[in-house]
Structure formats: C-alpha cells, structure tokens
Amino acid sequence: MNKRAQTRRSEELLAFFLVAGYLFISYVRLLEIIPGLAPLRLMLWMSLLALIISLVQWSTKPRRKRVALDAPQIVMTVVFVIVAIMWALRTGGWGDFFGAISAMQIVLGAFLMTVMNLDSIKRIRIIMFLMALSAVVMAVQGIAAFHYGYDGDTYLLQNVDEDGNPRPPQIGEDGQPIIEAPRVRNIGFLNDPNDLAQSLATFFVMLYFFWDKAKKFRNYLLLLPGGALIMYAIYLTRSRGGLVSVAVMSLLALRERLGKVMAAVLTGFMIAGALAINITGGRAMKDESAEARIEAWASGILMLREHPLFGIGFRNFAEEHGGLTAHNSYVLCFSEMGLVGYFCWMSLLVVSFIQLTRLKNLPGNAPEVVEIRRMAGNLRLAFSTFLSAALFLSRTYILTLYLLIGLSLCLADVARRQGYQIGKLTPKMWTKQTLIWQFTSIAVVWLAVKVN
C-alpha cells in the first residue's frame, strides 16, 4: 500500500470513528453529564470535524465505492430541509430562518455523515451495536435515578412545577386524586419520557440483531440482561406510545415465527399484562391528554386545508395551536410542511421500506446474503417500531428517524456494490407509492378525528 493509499485509509477510519462517536454521545450525552465540559461545546466541534473529514474522504473515493448523490433518500432529505428552512424565512423572518437552520443542520449533518461513511456491512453492524449499547446505558441511568436517586432532577420527570414544588394531583372521574409515578427520561432531545421510550424500543430491536444461537455466553450473559434493562426502563417511562411500539414490535416479530393469529393473541395478552401492572403509572389510556391529541389532529387537518402546499411553516404548529404540539409525527409534518414537504418526508419512509423488503427477500444461502437478509429484517422491524410510536408523538425531525433512513440506504448501497440485484427503484414507482401512502395517512387521520 503506497503512502497516498495509507493516507486515504487513515482519513476514512478517522471519519468513521468520529461519526460513530458523535452518534453514540448524541444519545448518551456524556459531555453533558460533566457540567464543566458544557461551555466548550465539544459535540458541536466534533460534529463539524466529522462532517468536514467525511466530505473530504467521500469526495476522494472512486464512484463505484460510494453512495450516489442522486439516491432518492439523499435528494428528498435535502429538499425537505430546504423547504423547511425557506418556508421558515417566509413565515417568520430571519429569526425563524436561522432557527430552522440550527434545528435541521443536526438532522441533515448526521444523515449525510452516516451515508458517507457506512460503506460496508461491518461498519453498519458497528453503528447498530453502538445504538443498542446507548440504549442499555440510558436504561441503566434511568433505573438508577428511579430506584437510587442518581441525578433524579435530570433523569426523572416528576409532577412538580418549574420551581420544583409539587403540583396538585389531577382528579379522576370518580372524584379521587390520580397519583402519577415519576417517569424516567434522558438528556437532550430525549428529555421527554415518550421520546426516550420510542428510541429505547427501536434500539432494543437492534440489540437482538446480535443474538446468535451458537454464542450462548453472549446471548444469556450480555444480550438477555441488556434487553431486560431496556424493557424495564421503557416501563419506567410510563409511556403509552412506548407501550404501543413494544406491542407492534412484538406482533411483527412473532408473526413470522408463530403466524398472524397466534402472534396477535400473544400480543394481546402482553398488552393486557402491561395494563394489569399499571405500566402507565396512573395515567389512563384515554384521559384529557388523549382527547387533546384528537383536538390537535383536527387542528392539523384545518391547517392543511388552509395552507395545502407548504403548510403553516416549520415549528409553527404549537404557536397556532395554543402552545401544544400535534402529538403525531404525520400530522405535524403535513400541517407544518404542507403536501410538498409531506411528500418529501413520506418518500423517505416509502423508499426505505421498499429497499429493506427487497433486501430481506434476497435469494441464496451465501453467508453475505444471509447477513444482509437478517440486517434488512431487523432494520425494517426497528422502523416499524419507531413509526408506530410516531402516531402518538411529534417526532418528525428527530435524529433517530434519519439514522434509520441512513442505515437502510447504506445497506442497499452495500448490497448493490457487492453485485446483488434488488431491482431498479424508478422515480415513477416510488413516487406513486409515496402519493398513495401520503393521502391514505391523511385520510386515516381525518377519519380518526371524525370518529372521535
């Protein structure tokens, strides 16, 4: 290997390790646990360095060894971000313009860094492992806070006001006070228990990608305890959306092994058991909060009707709806971004699912094919888990979603470069599927509002 090739290899490794480290600390937030490091803004500088080096090493790669810039997910992500930023400028002026740039640069930057660096199955495995590890670490932090008081002000959401004084309990329909248990949360963009539950459930799926019947030591001494910690932390979040995501994950995972009927029956028993042990911590499945969600969805439909093409503007839903969010990622997207932005966003999901489904159905028994099939099935299940909780959470712009999209794109690209045929994804084909899902999802929301 000549000196130039060695330099290029070193740049590639440095870029990958910077990106992997940045993604890991984006969830675990190691730099925020130590207060003295906060003023240094190390995460910002780390992300900028990772992005610059990634761009340099990606541009020097031969075309056949890198993701094409015209990949649908890349094009639609860039267009989606541009629509968000420019519409923020039109609706809110320069202040909202720079606010939109600040909010979206993390998503776009992390997405681009992911697709520029994950050029092998090994690297995709490493990122999946780090996400699973981050879920275990976050679970341990939350459990320690709940049971042992470890940094409870940070990792617990309690029924207190901004000054730390207890709020009076809500009164139920029977006239008795509703006692709500503390809820586990995390730092940064996962400081809401519902967000934490959604990401924990998603990364739980990735954890069990590493389950191998031939490696019992790893299975029973590492993966099984790690999975138990994650599930218990999801329980401690008291998240109803988390319960839904775990139910969907269980149903889809069991369906292939036991069949649709038996999987549905067992999932129903699991939901009943979760309710029996009071997984929501005193929060009813249908209460004022649940009713407020339907009202928010109705407002979203009205916003889309009044501003059909470009919506009301990025991050303007709460302002238009009395300070409350949409409680639904799909509603938030089409109300703020209109049909144009919603098409871009929905296309990311549709294209990723089409590619993962084709990869999961690759023929052959070669070890590489088996690995790709398993990875595609795991990522598709992780996607389904995330998007089921997204029905009840306003997480249109969260990092976890774009990380899943990036992993899916990279896996499809690796399979293509290794010579596996997954079929041509024509613009006409994915555009048609996106339009179907776009208008079907809006119709479902409209119907849900009418029924309620």
Side-chain angles (χ1 to χ4, degrees):
M1 183 181 294
N2 58 41
K3 187 174 181 180
R4 182 176 180 181
Q6 288 180 336
T7 302
R8 182 183 302 148
R9 179 61 177 167
S10 298
E11 289 177 352
E12 290 181 4
L13 289 175
L14 177 60
F16 172 70
F17 284 119
L18 281 172
V19 170
Y22 173 75
L23 291 174
F24 181 75
I25 64 175
S26 293
Y27 289 92
V28 177
R29 316 297 286 198
L30 292 173
L31 301 180
E32 294 183 26
I33 295 176
I34 305 174
L37 295 179
L40 300 178
R41 306 186 70 182
L42 294 179
M43 282 189 65
L44 173 63
W45 297 115
M46 184 177 183
S47 64
L48 290 175
L49 180 62
L51 182 59
I52 292 171
I53 297 178
S54 296
L55 285 169
V56 171
Q57 65 86 19
W58 180 85
S59 63
T60 58
K61 282 183 181 179
R63 290 182 180 272
R64 67 181 183 277
K65 293 185 178 181
R66 66 187 187 189
V67 175
L69 282 178
D70 60 353
Q73 291 101 314
I74 295 179
V75 174
M76 288 295 100
T77 299
V78 172
V79 173
F80 181 71
V81 171
I82 292 174
V83 170
I85 293 173
M86 297 310 297
W87 200 241
L89 174 62
R90 179 176 177 180
T91 59
W94 290 105
D96 286 359
F97 173 76
F98 290 113
I101 291 178
S102 177
M104 296 299 285
Q105 69 178 354
I106 298 174
V107 167
L108 181 61
F111 172 77
L112 292 177
M113 286 190 290
T114 299
V115 300
M116 286 190 291
N117 285 278
L118 303 191
D119 56 2
S120 67
I121 294 293
K122 181 179 179 180
R123 290 190 174 188
I124 297 174
R125 283 176 62 95
I126 290 173
I127 295 300
M128 292 175 65
F129 171 77
L130 287 176
M131 295 304 96
L133 178 61
S134 72
V136 174
V137 174
M138 290 187 292
V140 170
Q141 289 173 329
I143 293 170
F146 187 87
H147 287 288
Y148 304 107
Y150 166 72
D151 206 355
D153 292 338
T154 300
Y155 296 109
L156 291 179
L157 179 65
Q158 306 188 55
N159 192 28
V160 296
D161 59 24
E162 297 179 354
D163 298 324
N165 301 314
R167 289 193 180 99
Q170 297 183 4
I171 304 300
E173 295 180 356
D174 57 358
Q176 299 298 317
I178 301 174
I179 306 301
E180 295 186 6
R183 305 173 64 194
V184 167
R185 62 177 180 177
N186 206 263
I187 310 174
F189 64 92
L190 298 182
N191 64 350
D192 185 285
N194 298 305
D195 297 339
L196 177 60
Q198 183 185 40
S199 291
L200 287 179
T202 302
F203 294 153
F204 174 88
V205 178
M206 292 187 183
L207 178 70
Y208 278 92
F209 168 77
F210 298 95
W211 187 277
D212 188 338
K213 293 181 180 179
K215 299 180 179 179
K216 294 184 178 180
F217 176 85
R218 184 176 72 183
N219 293 345
Y220 294 104
L221 292 184
L222 296 176
L223 299 183
L224 195 61
L229 288 170
I230 293 173
M231 280 296 166
Y232 184 53
I234 294 175
Y235 164 74
L236 293 180
T237 63
R238 315 292 184 179
S239 171
R240 292 167 289 194
L243 174 61
V244 171
S245 62
V246 171
V248 170
M249 175 187 66
S250 303
L251 178 62
L252 295 177
L254 293 171
R255 184 178 63 179
E256 295 186 5
R257 293 178 177 271
L258 304 176
K260 295 180 180 180
V261 176
M262 185 58 70
V265 170
L266 288 178
T267 302
F269 277 119
M270 283 190 286
I271 293 175
L275 295 176
I277 62 175
N278 191 26
I279 191 172
T280 59
R283 301 163 68 238
M285 292 300 289
K286 185 167 184 175
D287 56 8
E288 293 182 3
S289 174
E291 294 173 359
R293 293 171 189 263
I294 299 298
E295 293 179 3
W297 298 0
S299 294
I301 293 291
L302 293 176
M303 294 173 194
L304 178 64
R305 182 183 300 175
E306 294 176 3
H307 305 276
L309 287 182
F310 296 101
I312 61 172
F314 178 62
R315 297 200 302 186
N316 282 339
F317 186 97
E319 182 178 344
E320 296 289 331
H321 188 60
L324 301 176
T325 187
H327 294 294
N328 186 306
S329 298
Y330 308 88
V331 173
L332 184 69
C333 188
F334 67 63
S335 61
E336 290 191 345
M337 306 288 286
L339 294 176
V340 174
Y342 192 45
F343 174 84
C344 297
W345 188 77
M346 184 61 70
S347 70
L348 300 175
L349 312 183
V350 170
V351 171
S352 297
F353 262 92
I354 292 174
Q355 290 180 333
L356 291 174
T357 300
R358 290 179 176 181
L359 290 169
K360 188 175 182 296
N361 295 325
L362 277 179
N365 295 314
E368 296 85 0
V369 176
V370 174
E371 179 84 344
I372 290 173
R373 281 203 301 261
R374 285 189 64 241
M375 192 170 284
N378 184 272
L379 288 175
R380 194 174 70 166
L381 180 57
F383 243 122
S384 301
T385 301
F386 180 91
L387 293 176
S388 61
L391 287 167
F392 307 97
L393 301 173
S394 298
R395 295 301 169 259
T396 307
Y397 319 106
I398 197 172
L399 173 62
T400 307
L401 175 60
Y402 298 90
L403 175 61
L404 290 172
I405 295 168
L407 288 170
S408 303
L409 169 60
C410 292
L411 182 61
D413 184 71
V414 169
R416 176 187 60 80
R417 286 190 282 105
Q418 291 183 355
Y420 299 110
Q421 300 298 321
I422 61 173
K424 189 175 181 180
L425 196 61
T426 63
K428 181 179 178 180
M429 183 265 195
W430 63 260
T431 297
K432 179 181 177 181
Q433 292 293 321
T434 298
L435 288 172
I436 291 173
W437 281 105
Q438 180 182 17
F439 288 102
T440 299
S441 60
I442 294 173
V444 169
V445 172
W446 177 84
L447 184 60
V449 171
K450 288 296 183 181
V451 169
N452 282 273

